[in-house]
Amino acid sequence: GAGVSQSPSNKVTEKGKDVELRCDPISGHTALYWYRQSLGQGLEFLIYFQGNSAPDKSGLPSDRFSAERTGGSVSTLTIQRTQQEDSAVYLCASSLIDWDYTFGSGTRLTVV
Amino acid sequence: GENVEQHPSTLSVQEGDSAVIKCTYSDSASNYFPWYKQELGKRPQLIIDIRSNVGEKKDQRIAVTLNKTAKHFSLHITETQPEDSAVYFCAATRNQFYFGTGTSLTVIP
């Protein structure tokens, strides 16, 4: 596609439920990043995939958060047993080279 | 890891005036410093960037300066217009990007 695609665009879930957020990067982009943006806050790094290398998971806030990237393309961010503090916009970005960094439109997650 | 601080958190200027946003970083190995503009409800968009071998870069009304010794870099917007109103994020990177907490800029017509 022409850009980074994220789905769903909005997700409302009950506290304690699991959610999956999807990111389709730009075709051919080897690097994929997940960020979280809470209301009025900056962009918080979560996880980074680069090609076939082991992902950098250093930003994941707890073991309830996990992410996969299948076939070097689509990525899924999973949040288990969601809490209200997980409410945020989750942004995905991809790049071919380190400087060429394109964001998706994000998934707005609301935990009620 | 890297720690990026950004100031001010909010900034209001009159149309036509200049706006300056400053960021500091902690990791001397960071070598790329982009600035992103995020309009309400939209994705961040790259507006200008600078690499560590350059001290200043300008693109029309927008300029960025970098002081590697002091580990700080700044965004300068001249002749501000209402459409410049947005949240601006700085970032420092060596591998993944570390973002500042953002500056909400309001340009008053």
Side-chain angles (χ1 to χ4, degrees), chain A residues 4 33 35 37 40-43 45 48 56 58 91 98-99 101 103-105, chain B residues 31-32 36 38 43-44 46 51 89 93-102:
Chain A
V4 177
Y33 311 77
Y35 286 85
Q37 188 173 31
Q41 300 296 312
L43 289 152
F45 167 74
Y48 164 48
D56 178 349
S58 60
L91 286 164
D98 285 343
W99 320 121
Y101 198 61
F103 281 93
S105 295
Chain B
N31 54 12
Y32 176 63
Y36 288 82
Q38 188 175 25
R43 74 190 76 187
L46 178 68
R51 301 181 189 182
F89 292 96
T93 180
R94 182 159 58 98
N95 294 312
Q96 70 264 29
F97 283 51
Y98 294 90
F99 286 89
T101 49

Side-chain angles (χ1 to χ4, degrees), chain A residues 35-38 40-45 103, chain B residues 2-9 21-25 33-36 38 44 73 87-93 97-104:
Chain A
Y35 286 85
R36 177 168 71 175
Q37 188 173 31
S38 301
Q41 300 296 312
L43 289 152
E44 177 189 4
F45 167 74
F103 281 93
Chain B
E2 175 66 276
N3 179 41
V4 178
E5 295 188 356
Q6 183 171 347
H7 301 280
S9 58
I21 303 170
K22 299 181 179 181
C23 288
T24 61
Y25 62 100
F33 307 89
W35 285 88
Y36 288 82
Q38 188 175 25
F73 55 113
V87 178
Y88 291 81
F89 292 96
C90 63
T93 180
F97 283 51
Y98 294 90
F99 286 89
T101 49
T103 297
S104 177

